Amino acid sequence: MKRLRNSHSSNKNEVYRFSDPEICLKILRGTTYSKDGSLGDNELPFVRSRAIPNQRLVRAFGIDNGFTTSDNESREDFRNWAIAKVSTFDGKRWKDNASQADHLVKKQMQIISHMGNIPLECAVQIVSLKLIFIEFFQLDPIGLRDKTMLQIAQEINHQWIASKSVVSEGTVGHGKFQALFESLKLDSDRPRDNPLNTLLPVYETLWRVVTHCIIEVIFRPSARPEWLPLLQDFLGNPTRTNFWKRSAGTDGVSVEFLVKEALRLYPPTRRIYRQMHMSSKDESELVAADIEACQRLQSIWGNESHRYQPARWNSVSPTMEKAYMPFGGSPYKCPASGSFGPRMIGVLVAAFASKLPVSEWRLIFQDESGVRSGVLDDETKLETDRVEGPVWIIHRRDDGIS
């Protein structure tokens, strides 16, 4: 357990952070944070236990959804809506989705080819947001300008970081979002109608995992060449069968394994918070399930737990399965935790992989001051914190930069 200074708990001082899988699952359920039950039970209902830490997102984004409400009926309505939404993706819908992703990435790469280089995360953010607006808001792709997508992405990141230090009541970033959504003809006046209610959870599930997976699958020197045909086949026909199909090489990897290993190393939500008032204590406390740390524990995942090794999923132990929780834990798992979220990640990674051959493109690190120094090797650790600064730039190999 780690004890950290924090401004969100009722004590205004500390947050208790845990990486033990058993305790993490109990925290996710909002029941306790002790293994032996010595602390008693959390007296806060689950909806309040989850909603209290998320009020910073209400202030930052003006949202009102299943993650921020203290009303159980509203939470269930949001969850049922999300389940119904992802269940509409049948075979034809997945085929259309993959075709749309492929088209968006192709168009993006044409722009990048003309420019010569771009931060990889920016390209992924633009394509991810466009795909979400098309699939979840039924917007015409013609009206989705790259500049607007980047402004939305940058404002989300800025407000998310700022929300961690905002303690005053009131909203902070709504005006910019309202203007951006108005340009897309989307209503955002009332919290229940705010497009960010849907956009935030879907976008945050996708873009960082996709970015990291692209780096691992395409640009890491240890990446295996047999992974690319798997991704190409899946993009052309994104069925469950192709998602599960194993490569012919010795490691027997599938697209599912490529995605699962990315979700293990780079979970969409690094830490999940609950406010708990244990029956044995006088005040409530903020506790965190450290998902990222849990999914990297050497005692569970081995000495190379920090490395991207999708072949590990050929022989996972029950302990590993228990410690794998990128979409939360039962009974409150994200509705996208089944096949929807991983397959959507797979589609986007496959679309980029088909357009970024290493014979034509390379990845170069750029620090906060704009200095480009160093290329990716197998020892390079990828940043997982939400930062505004150093980035990985994709460059054409014929751009003359050494």
Side-chain angles (χ1 to χ4, degrees):
M1 179 193 75
K2 292 183 179 180
R3 182 182 297 180
L4 304 175
R5 304 294 295 180
N6 181 75
S7 62
H8 302 305
S9 69
S10 67
N11 294 330
K12 305 296 183 187
N13 291 319
E14 297 171 333
V15 53
Y16 297 91
R17 195 169 83 195
F18 300 85
S19 59
D20 179 275
E22 186 177 341
I23 298 179
C24 282
L25 286 169
K26 289 181 178 181
I27 291 172
L28 294 177
R29 296 180 189 127
T31 56
T32 185
Y33 60 92
S34 67
K35 274 191 173 182
D36 58 8
S38 59
L39 295 174
D41 298 322
N42 178 22
E43 296 181 341
L44 293 175
F46 172 78
V47 286
R48 278 186 51 75
S49 188
R50 178 166 73 170
I52 291 172
N54 287 333
Q55 292 313 294
R56 66 183 182 86
L57 302 180
V58 175
R59 291 190 292 270
F61 299 104
I63 58 176
D64 180 9
N65 62 20
F67 299 97
T68 63
T69 183
S70 292
D71 180 69
N72 199 53
E73 185 177 348
S74 297
R75 181 189 71 84
E76 282 297 318
D77 287 346
F78 183 82
R79 178 175 175 79
N80 291 335
W81 172 86
I83 292 172
K85 196 73 174 177
V86 301
S87 67
T88 62
F89 277 71
D90 55 14
K92 182 181 183 303
R93 183 87 181 269
W94 274 113
K95 185 92 171 177
D96 292 344
N97 175 265
S99 177
Q100 185 67 253
D102 189 46
H103 172 75
L104 291 172
V105 173
K106 181 180 180 180
K107 185 176 178 181
Q108 191 64 34
M109 293 310 300
Q110 289 172 345
I111 296 172
I112 297 171
S113 294
H114 179 71
M115 295 169 59
N117 65 83
I118 190 175
L120 175 60
E121 67 177 37
C122 290
V124 174
Q125 288 167 341
I126 290 169
V127 172
S128 297
L129 283 170
K130 285 184 177 182
L131 195 62
I132 294 167
F133 280 125
I134 293 166
E135 294 290 352
F136 287 83
F137 296 87
Q138 290 74 54
L139 296 188
D140 188 335
I142 295 176
L144 302 176
R145 299 171 60 240
D146 287 6
K147 182 180 179 181
T148 304
M149 299 300 104
L150 267 183
Q151 287 174 325
I152 292 173
Q154 289 166 355
E155 190 62 18
I156 287 174
N157 199 52
H158 173 72
Q159 292 300 337
W160 198 291
I161 293 172
S163 73
K164 294 183 178 182
S165 60
V166 171
V167 294
S168 61
E169 294 299 322
T171 59
V172 281
H174 306 186
K176 288 185 179 179
F177 283 120
Q178 281 186 329
L180 290 166
F181 290 139
E182 282 174 8
S183 72
L184 298 174
K185 296 181 170 54
L186 291 174
D187 180 19
S188 61
D189 290 337
R190 295 173 297 179
R192 293 299 294 270
D193 297 329
N194 191 338
L196 289 166
N197 287 328
T198 301
L199 185 65
L200 267 182
V202 181
Y203 173 69
E204 288 297 322
T205 296
L206 289 177
W207 78 268
R208 280 185 295 172
V209 180
V210 170
T211 301
H212 286 107
C213 194
I214 289 169
I215 293 174
E216 296 287 2
V217 169
I218 301 174
F219 294 107
R220 252 327 163 190
S222 57
R224 303 290 293 270
E226 59 264 29
W227 297 348
L228 298 181
L230 281 175
L231 289 164
Q232 186 174 2
D233 289 347
F234 178 65
L235 183 64
N237 192 17
T239 62
R240 284 189 175 91
T241 300
N242 279 341
F243 190 61
W244 296 329
K245 184 176 70 176
R246 307 286 185 89
S247 63
T250 56
D251 60 359
V253 162
S254 63
V255 174
E256 179 192 24
F257 289 179
L258 297 176
V259 173
K260 287 187 78 168
E261 184 68 349
L263 284 165
R264 182 189 71 82
L265 276 177
Y266 313 110
T269 305
R270 298 171 65 208
R271 299 179 191 100
I272 299 176
Y273 296 89
R274 298 285 184 262
Q275 193 79 25
M276 292 193 181
H277 191 171
M278 308 310 296
S279 55
S280 63
K281 300 204 172 188
D282 294 332
E283 293 185 319
S284 67
E285 302 162 307
L286 186 68
V287 297
D290 194 330
I291 306 301
E292 181 180 76
C294 178
Q295 295 183 167
R296 295 185 179 204
L297 287 172
Q298 287 191 10
S299 59
I300 294 175
W301 302 96
N303 292 333
E304 295 195 320
S305 60
H306 62 290
R307 291 184 180 275
Y308 181 82
Q309 296 177 341
R312 77 171 74 242
W313 292 97
N314 279 305
S315 55
V316 292
S317 67
T319 304
M320 290 177 178
E321 291 284 6
K322 186 177 181 180
Y324 180 73
M325 52 189 87
F327 293 106
S330 233
Y332 303 110
K333 272 190 175 181
C334 171
S337 63
S339 69
F340 179 82
R343 282 170 76 185
M344 186 68 80
I345 292 167
V347 163
L348 283 165
V349 171
F352 274 97
S354 68
K355 307 294 186 298
L356 282 171
V358 291
S359 60
E360 299 177 20
W361 296 90
R362 57 182 174 161
L363 206 61
I364 297 178
F365 183 74
Q366 177 177 289
D367 65 20
E368 294 93 330
S369 61
V371 176
R372 294 172 184 177
S373 58
V375 294
L376 188 73
D377 60 33
D378 286 333
E379 300 303 319
T380 306
K381 291 185 178 180
L382 302 183
E383 177 64 61
T384 60
D385 201 3
R386 189 184 291 268
V387 294
E388 295 177 326
V391 292
W392 287 100
I393 307 288
I394 46 176
H395 273 279
R396 289 197 66 89
R397 287 192 175 275
D398 59 1
D399 62 7
I401 297 178
S402 59

